[in-house]
Amino acid sequence: MAAWQRLLEDHDAERAWKVIDDIAQALRPKTENIDPTDDPGVAVGTAGLALFYAYLGAETGNEEWTGLAHRFMEHSIDALSDRPLLPDLYEGFTGIGWALGQLQGMLFEEPDDDEDPDADPIGESLVEVLRGRTFARGDFDLIGGLAGYGIYAFHALPRPAARRSLELLVQRLVEIGEPVDGGFSWFTPPEVLPDWLREKQPDGRYNLGVSHGVAAVISVLSMCAAAGVMSGEQRATLDRAVDWLLAQKQNGKKWCFANSVVKGRPAGRDRLAWCYGDPGIAAALFTAARHCGHAGWEAVALEIAQTAARRDMETSEIVDAALCHGSVGLAHLFNRMHQASGDPLLAETARAWYRHTVDMQRPGVGIAGYEFFAAPGWLPLTGYLPGLAGVGLGLLAGVSSREPAWDQFLAVSVPLEQRLSAPAATPSAGAADRREPARAGAHPSGSAG
């Protein structure tokens, strides 16, 4: 079985470890009590901080870091019963449930033999959401919609509620998708766009990215295919969706995908990032290829990744170090795809972006020397997706031989080995009004993270 390999060595590793330690010291709570009102989610809250300290504690054997992980995660667990939470992966109860599963065995003991292995209250709640709510055209995304629910359910298998969730999820995604140009895709209508973006795209768009777009839907549907919860017709819909996405690929250029497909507008080069841009799309497609055992998709995913790897840093539009749209996100994506493919270009590109991340540290600035762009300005953010915890996790993945399964949350956790997809099964048979985020977190170029 393939294993994760440490990428950074010698001076690169020493510099990365120095930053990791600075982050760990800076993120420690200033008191023994975590504010009960703190965000409990993964993306910007205590569950994301728990992931960072849990992985750091597992790597170093430092019980202080493991203890902090416990404290942060216990706060998130308490929130499941203390306050109403949306089902969203990034800010809601499916994300906290996913983090709990992620830390099982690392932070928490495995369930006793006399405990019910099928017990899954989060999965049961998710089944009720999928059965009871009406989902609209724009309710498909990873951060706040159906694709995100699939991340929890896939990684909660083989529990029956998780499997039932995936069956319902596939049905709902197909219902709100649509045939387009001989393929199949998911449209973002103007009413779910933030005001600033709706002014630019008043008729809506087909979003190509991972955070709010079709790339993540394809990745999650591939997991459903691997789990054997798709009918033959639904599996064919996934193929048509990949066909449509690849039809948007620009050939003969130094970049592959625009931010989105907008009627009447030509495609334009996008930044390099996880949330939008070629690296995130490549990793999501690579993930789909491995889950479905599709060599053709894998070859195209590697081509896209290599094209992105050859792009100059000067044209990358990278302005901070965040996982979402920054340098450590790129370092991790190229590292993840290198680990799965063995491609040396991707390895060297990952090293370059890790070095760039370390170089971004400025003593006395922000927290631990980092600030992050969240329009209209720069902020000392601490969270997993937009801030310091994500930088720490990304750097840890470069200096560790422990596979960083925390990137399941990003829908880009490319299996290190080819997986044979399970046979199709006939699934049985809506969402909270979720919108793309407002301008906070937007990139200076005008594309949202």
Side-chain angles (χ1 to χ4, degrees), residues 80-385:
L80 291 172
S81 56
D82 291 348
R83 66 178 90 172
L85 295 172
L86 292 168
D88 307 1
L89 182 70
Y90 275 55
E91 297 181 1
F93 68 77
T94 57
I96 296 171
W98 168 84
L100 276 169
Q102 177 65 201
L103 298 180
Q104 198 77 49
M106 180 186 294
L107 196 62
F108 302 104
E109 294 182 0
E110 299 287 353
D112 295 332
D113 291 340
D114 57 353
E115 292 185 24
D116 182 1
D118 292 338
D120 184 8
I122 289 175
E124 290 164 5
S125 296
L126 182 56
V127 168
E128 291 306 309
V129 169
L130 290 164
R131 278 178 174 159
R133 296 189 180 179
T134 300
F135 290 82
R137 281 175 98 191
D139 293 331
F140 59 82
D141 79 337
L142 182 71
I143 284 182
L146 286 162
Y149 307 163
I151 295 294
Y152 168 76
F154 179 73
H155 295 289
L157 291 171
R159 296 171 186 162
R163 185 175 184 83
R164 181 64 178 138
S165 294
L166 289 179
E167 292 172 346
L168 290 165
L169 176 79
V170 173
Q171 184 174 338
R172 299 292 177 253
L173 281 171
V174 172
E175 287 171 353
I176 66 172
E178 57 194 45
V180 56
D181 297 333
F184 196 88
S185 193
W186 290 265
F187 184 73
T188 303
E191 60 267 22
V192 302
L193 294 174
D195 292 342
W196 67 270
L197 188 54
R198 187 164 58 247
E199 290 176 4
K200 297 180 179 181
Q201 301 172 353
D203 296 322
R205 63 181 185 166
Y206 289 97
N207 186 320
L208 301 183
V210 179
S211 58
H212 295 289
V214 301
V217 178
I218 285 169
S219 178
V220 169
L221 284 177
S222 77
M223 299 175 200
C224 296
V229 300
M230 300 178 83
S231 67
E233 183 177 354
Q234 291 167 338
R235 179 64 177 79
T237 298
L238 170 58
D239 290 345
R240 293 170 62 204
V242 175
D243 289 345
W244 180 86
L245 176 65
L246 295 183
Q248 313 315 310
K249 180 175 175 289
Q250 306 297 303
N251 296 312
K253 297 181 179 179
K254 294 182 179 180
W255 56 276
C256 295
F257 288 96
N259 173 286
S260 56
V261 175
V262 181
K263 184 179 180 180
R265 292 194 180 183
R269 185 186 68 190
D270 201 13
R271 59 181 167 178
L272 294 177
W274 162 78
C275 52
Y276 292 94
D278 293 344
I281 293 173
L285 181 60
F286 201 161
T287 302
R290 284 286 166 96
H291 279 299
C292 291
H294 199 299
W297 296 352
E298 181 169 327
V300 178
L302 276 174
E303 177 195 340
I304 297 165
Q306 290 162 346
T307 298
R310 295 186 182 100
R311 189 160 149 189
D312 294 335
M313 282 189 178
E314 290 73 17
T315 66
S316 68
E317 300 183 52
I318 293 297
V319 298
D320 67 28
L323 267 181
C324 177
H325 49 258
S327 59
V328 86
L330 289 181
H332 182 69
L333 289 173
F334 286 119
N335 189 12
R336 168 59 79 172
M337 290 186 285
H338 157 69
Q339 300 278 347
S341 67
D343 187 288
L345 172 62
L346 302 185
E348 190 48 49
T349 305
R351 291 187 186 98
W353 282 109
Y354 279 127
R355 293 174 192 132
H356 191 69
T357 299
V358 172
D359 289 341
M360 280 186 164
Q361 188 182 39
R362 297 287 184 269
V365 172
I367 302 177
Y370 288 93
E371 286 186 315
F372 303 88
F373 187 84
W378 292 83
L379 297 172
L381 303 176
T382 60
Y384 166 102
L385 191 65

Side-chain angles (χ1 to χ4, degrees), residues 358-433:
V358 172
D359 289 341
M360 280 186 164
Q361 188 182 39
R362 297 287 184 269
V365 172
I367 302 177
Y370 288 93
E371 286 186 315
F372 303 88
F373 187 84
W378 292 83
L379 297 172
L381 303 176
T382 60
Y384 166 102
L385 191 65
L388 272 183
V391 176
L393 280 167
L395 290 172
L396 269 173
V399 298
S400 175
S401 57
R402 178 185 303 274
E403 184 173 2
W406 51 261
D407 64 1
Q408 295 167 359
F409 192 75
L410 304 174
V412 294
S413 192
V414 184
L416 298 183
E417 291 184 327
Q418 184 92 233
R419 292 181 181 174
L420 296 177
S421 58
T426 301
S428 53
D433 180 18

